[in-house]
Amino acid sequence: MSEREILTDYVYQIVVAMIQNGVEDVVISPGSRSTPLAYALASAKDIQVYRQVDERSAAFFALGLAKAKQKPVALLCTSGTAAANYYPAIIEAKYSRIPLIVLTADRPHELREVGAPQAINQIRLYGEHVKWSAEFPIPDDAKQTLPFVERHVARAVTIARTYPLGPVHMNIPFREPLLINFQESLPPVSFKGSFIGEITPSEESRYVLTQLMNQAKKGFVIVGELPLNTDLHYMWEFVRKVKWPVLVESLSNMRTNIPEDCKQYIFTTYDALLKDEAFRNKVSADTVIRFGAQPVSKFLTILLSETMPTNYIVVDEDPMFRDSTSVSTHFIHGAIGKWLCELNLQTDLDVEYFNLWRSSEDLAIRHITEYVHSETDEGAMVRTIIEHLPDGSDLFVSSSMPIRDIDTFLLPTSRDIQIFANRGANGIDGVMSTAIGFSQGRKDRQLYLLIGDLAFLHDVNAFIATRYQPCNITVIVLNNDGGGIFSYLSQSTVKEYYEDLFGTPTALQFEQVAQMYDMEYTQVNELNEMNNLFNQENDKPLRLIEVFTDRQENVAAHRRLWQKIHSELNS
């Protein structure tokens, strides 16, 4: 066989193995060394190719696509620093448990560490931030090579798809020449597929959980961001059975689409309530159960750390269970499933304890609902946006202040709205790229992105992707000219260097960015201007709404809200 035929067989074997094991999408950035695999992927009929020239943005785009489709997505780049630019998104994928299949083309062994261009050490480049990393052999005609490659791809995709989901890395060296023969059909496979098992808690752990819950007098359930593919039907059945206060974070998507018979058990204002120390003491619990990731709320974390429940049970699909408070007493290894509905629960929670939570929640909801009638700050803007989002839409939210405002102002509703964010590493980088990729995976739903001005600037080149594939997204930028969240932190009490180091104003506005990418642009300066925006017909699929707010006014208004809630709580 010729070198070209050997290379052709090699790259098409990689492609067919990925498809065979469930990969339907790949995001490709241009580069020379990745040419053979890029050609094979682009010519394959059973895989969807997306393009983004910036590798850093491309990786976040793939992250968003995988989050939306709840399936593994592949990434391909050339050698050198292109691969290093994937790193931030890979870190986010690890901590948010998103299955990415990272393919980095590499120089052959003889060109490594000898001064060759675009050659860096790519072996285990991402360290412990990937679940598995493999170095592939140079293409050759040895009879063992293709079967080995096929099974290594199967291993990689299977590892990415098993709990906890996460990224894997395949480093693939190529020698020149890099051209292949295009194939009309993919080669046959000898490895037929992987079958992944479910993680169901042991009988012993279910017995212990049942006993602890049935004995509890003061308890509540916490639901953070849940794993991909979670069937909420099981969670709602659990809510009906347990009849405890269930503190649901916005990212759990249990604040919306709430069944009527579950509404009385759903609590959303806990962060505002728990800012009050006296209330924290009143609602300290003997038993707490948490599903999903630790919620955004700082004051929920403080409650757990201060009161240290006698039983704090974490249910997680990963033995490296998440517990940033270090107060957990029990860990149950399991994914949310049918077993939750089969627990023999006969709980006897203290009625006064439940009623305290319920009356306090109702009080806080009343004040938050009235907020838009008395305030005009970012919080009022966010509450107005939530009220006007159309049914059947998704809201992707940036870290920092936007996700905290969503956590404060998203109240229980039966409307069909879902909330998503990058909360693995909690960074503000790559948010727009993730949202654009996410929009590609859920084209049957309209996507809105809520983001601050600094996060927008971090990732403004995300819009390059919209030049290569059609995108339908409305971006809402809250422009308070700087880092608004620092105004709530201790740094704001030190006036020296505050604006230079933390406020970091740029005095930038984004109308010209909208023009550059042919986006429909709207400027909002007053709260009443927001009310009509969601009813307008859009001439363009890309839309940028820039909302101008004031950082100091925002802080003052939020604190007035908390003060009103706490005053009535303690009256």
Side-chain angles (χ1 to χ4, degrees):
M1 297 176 67
S2 68
E3 288 184 356
R4 185 161 177 158
E5 290 171 328
I6 291 170
L7 181 58
T8 298
D9 289 347
Y10 183 93
V11 293
Y12 275 108
Q13 201 69 47
I14 292 173
V15 173
V16 73
M18 285 201 296
I19 293 170
Q20 178 74 11
N21 287 278
V23 177
E24 299 173 352
D25 305 277
V26 61
V27 183
I28 299 176
S29 298
S32 178
R33 192 57 53 165
S34 53
T35 295
L37 197 46
Y39 274 149
L41 287 163
S43 62
K45 297 179 177 63
D46 296 323
I47 197 163
Q48 176 68 48
V49 173
Y50 300 87
R51 294 174 292 160
Q52 171 59 302
V53 298
D54 181 328
E55 286 86 4
R56 184 174 175 278
S57 177
F60 278 107
F61 181 102
L63 179 90
L65 184 60
K67 186 189 285 274
K69 298 191 75 170
Q70 304 187 3
K71 294 179 180 179
V73 172
L75 270 166
L76 173 64
C77 72
T78 191
S79 63
T81 56
N85 282 317
Y86 280 169
Y87 214 155
I90 288 171
I91 291 171
E92 175 62 29
K94 172 185 169 59
Y95 289 106
S96 58
R97 301 180 178 179
I98 305 295
L100 291 184
I101 314 300
V102 182
L103 308 168
T104 56
D106 201 355
R107 302 277 162 157
H109 301 77
E110 66 271 15
L111 294 182
R112 298 175 182 174
E113 305 300 328
V114 292
Q118 281 188 276
I120 66 171
N121 185 358
Q122 295 179 201
I123 308 299
R124 300 190 182 278
L125 177 63
Y126 308 113
E128 294 186 358
H129 288 101
V130 291
K131 292 181 68 179
W132 188 57
S133 183
E135 165 79 348
F136 274 42
I138 291 284
D140 61 29
D141 59 354
K143 69 176 184 179
Q144 302 94 338
T145 300
L146 294 186
F148 171 83
V149 164
E150 183 182 339
R151 282 154 184 79
H152 245 36
V153 171
R155 292 182 182 101
V157 178
T158 302
I159 290 169
R161 292 172 56 215
T162 51
Y163 289 123
L165 280 63
V168 294
H169 174 214
M170 292 178 276
N171 192 60
I172 307 172
F174 295 111
R175 286 194 180 101
E176 293 182 327
L178 301 171
L179 299 182
I180 66 169
N181 299 320
F182 292 112
Q183 303 292 325
E184 287 295 320
S185 59
L186 294 173
V189 293
S190 57
F191 183 81
K192 303 303 181 182
S194 300
F195 299 91
I196 299 172
E198 297 180 356
I199 302 177
T200 302
S202 66
E203 186 174 337
E204 179 187 9
S205 64
R206 284 180 282 172
Y207 174 79
V208 170
L209 177 61
T210 301
Q211 292 298 107
L212 293 175
M213 293 184 69
N214 288 343
Q215 294 166 9
K217 295 300 180 183
K218 296 182 178 181
F220 56 84
V221 177
I222 301 171
V223 186
E225 183 177 15
L226 297 173
L228 298 184
N229 300 313
T230 296
D231 187 342
L232 289 181
H233 165 77
Y234 298 121
M235 287 302 300
W236 291 124
E237 283 298 310
F238 179 74
V239 169
R240 292 183 182 100
K241 291 188 73 169
V242 69
K243 296 180 172 59
W244 286 11
V246 182
L247 282 54
V248 293
E249 186 183 48
S250 55
L251 296 177
S252 70
N253 283 310
M254 291 181 65
R255 292 190 182 187
T256 60
N257 270 327
I258 302 175
E260 193 64 34
D261 60 342
C262 293
K263 284 184 178 178
Q264 62 180 315
Y265 307 117
I266 298 302
F267 294 79
T268 65
T269 66
Y270 51 86
D271 183 73
L273 294 169
L274 293 172
K275 284 179 169 66
D276 184 76
E277 183 178 2
F279 183 77
R280 291 201 299 272
N281 292 331
K282 291 177 184 176
V283 296
S284 62
D286 54 55
T287 303
V288 176
I289 305 161
R290 198 194 81 222
F291 298 91
Q294 182 70 25
V296 171
S297 171
K298 174 182 177 180
F299 289 92
L300 178 56
T301 300
I302 290 173
L303 170 68
L304 296 170
S305 299
E306 286 181 347
T307 61
M308 299 188 68
T310 304
N311 303 305
Y312 179 29
I313 305 139
V314 178
V315 180
D316 201 307
E317 68 275 13
D318 184 2
M320 280 292 293
F321 59 93
R322 295 164 288 196
D323 174 23
S324 60
T325 59
S326 296
V327 299
S328 58
T329 60
H330 299 77
F331 161 66
I332 293 179
H333 188 210
I336 291 167
K338 186 178 180 182
W339 66 273
L340 272 175
C341 309
E342 298 171 344
L343 297 174
N344 184 24
L345 296 178
Q346 297 174 351
T347 59
D348 186 26
L349 202 68
D350 185 277
V351 174
E352 290 186 5
Y353 180 80
F354 181 90
N355 289 341
L356 172 62
W357 270 110
R358 185 69 263 165
S359 60
S360 302
E361 168 85 357
D362 293 342
L363 179 158
I365 286 176
R366 175 164 47 81
H367 282 289
I368 292 170
T369 304
E370 293 171 353
Y371 190 85
V372 293
H373 302 301
S374 59
E375 304 291 355
T376 59
D377 71 318
E378 275 184 29
M381 290 286 188
V382 170
R383 178 61 193 162
T384 302
I385 290 167
I386 292 169
E387 289 176 342
H388 287 84
L389 284 175
D391 264 16
S393 60
D394 294 333
L395 180 64
F396 206 95
V397 186
S398 176
S399 290
S400 200
M401 274 309 296
I403 188 62
R404 285 168 174 80
D405 272 340
I406 289 294
D407 210 44
T408 297
F409 294 101
L410 178 63
L411 301 176
T413 178
S414 57
R415 294 169 60 215
D416 178 16
I417 297 167
Q418 295 193 40
I419 311 296
F420 301 90
N422 284 347
R423 292 301 292 175
N426 297 353
I428 64 169
D429 51 341
V431 174
M432 214 137 48
S433 297
T434 308
I436 292 172
F438 190 91
S439 73
Q440 296 293 299
R442 285 165 67 103
K443 291 184 178 180
D444 57 328
R445 296 173 68 90
Q446 175 62 44
L447 181 68
Y448 296 83
L449 167 64
L450 183 66
I451 191 169
D453 54 301
L454 291 187
F456 183 90
L457 288 168
H458 259 271
D459 198 28
V460 74
N461 61 342
F463 291 118
I464 298 172
T466 68
R467 313 309 292 172
Y468 301 115
Q469 43 266 320
C471 296
N472 189 346
I473 182 172
T474 297
V475 180
I476 306 170
V477 182
L478 301 175
N479 191 343
N480 57 28
D481 195 22
I485 194 170
F486 294 107
S487 300
Y488 296 85
L489 305 179
S490 59
Q491 292 92 324
S492 64
T493 63
V494 181
K495 300 305 179 185
E496 292 82 3
Y497 310 113
Y498 174 76
E499 280 295 286
D500 289 343
L501 295 177
F502 303 104
T504 56
T506 64
L508 290 173
Q509 299 181 15
F510 306 128
E511 184 172 5
Q512 290 179 322
V513 174
Q515 292 174 357
M516 181 185 299
Y517 291 104
D518 194 27
M519 304 178 73
E520 185 175 304
Y521 176 82
T522 305
Q523 183 178 126
V524 173
N525 295 289
E526 302 292 339
L527 181 62
N528 58 12
E529 297 172 3
M530 183 68 73
N531 293 325
N532 300 322
L533 287 179
F534 294 90
N535 300 321
Q536 297 174 359
E537 291 291 330
N538 300 330
D539 296 328
K540 299 176 180 178
L542 289 173
R543 191 180 188 194
L544 178 61
I545 301 172
E546 187 170 12
V547 183
F548 291 95
T549 64
D550 181 90
R551 276 187 271 143
Q552 297 308 314
E553 177 191 349
N554 194 40
V555 175
H558 278 66
R559 287 176 174 163
R560 283 193 293 270
L561 170 65
W562 301 329
Q563 181 58 41
K564 288 179 181 178
I565 293 172
H566 300 161
S567 293
E568 190 169 346
L569 271 178
N570 296 311
S571 62

